[in-house]
Amino acid sequence: ADAGWKPALKLLKTHKALVAKTVGDGAAQREVLDWLSTYGAKSIAADDSGKGTAGKAVAKFLHTLYELDVVEEEVILGWVHIT
């Protein structure tokens, strides 16, 4: 059961330091958010039961990225205003 957003969140939490270092500046953080809204939501939305929604997956990922200090609040707010 490697599909869905729960395993993806677990990987994000496990590799927080690597992810944070990789997307350290605002431009890279915006790229992560763009990828998430364009491609990632569909990939992580299908949880094990097949009842996941893209909106729920994106919201959970955004919250986790913020809580883990991977993406800054200002970047998220700016991205929300653009999309």
Side-chain angles (χ1 to χ4, degrees), residues 19-69:
V19 174
K21 197 173 232 186
T22 303
V23 294
D25 67 6
Q29 292 174 19
R30 281 188 296 280
E31 287 294 322
V32 168
L33 297 178
D34 288 341
W35 174 87
L36 181 60
S37 68
T38 305
Y39 304 106
K42 291 178 186 175
S43 298
I44 64 175
D47 63 13
D48 296 340
S49 67
K51 297 179 184 175
T53 63
K56 181 180 179 182
V58 170
K60 185 68 175 173
F61 244 76
L62 281 174
H63 178 75
T64 303
L65 289 168
Y66 172 74
E67 288 294 314
L68 294 176
D69 294 324

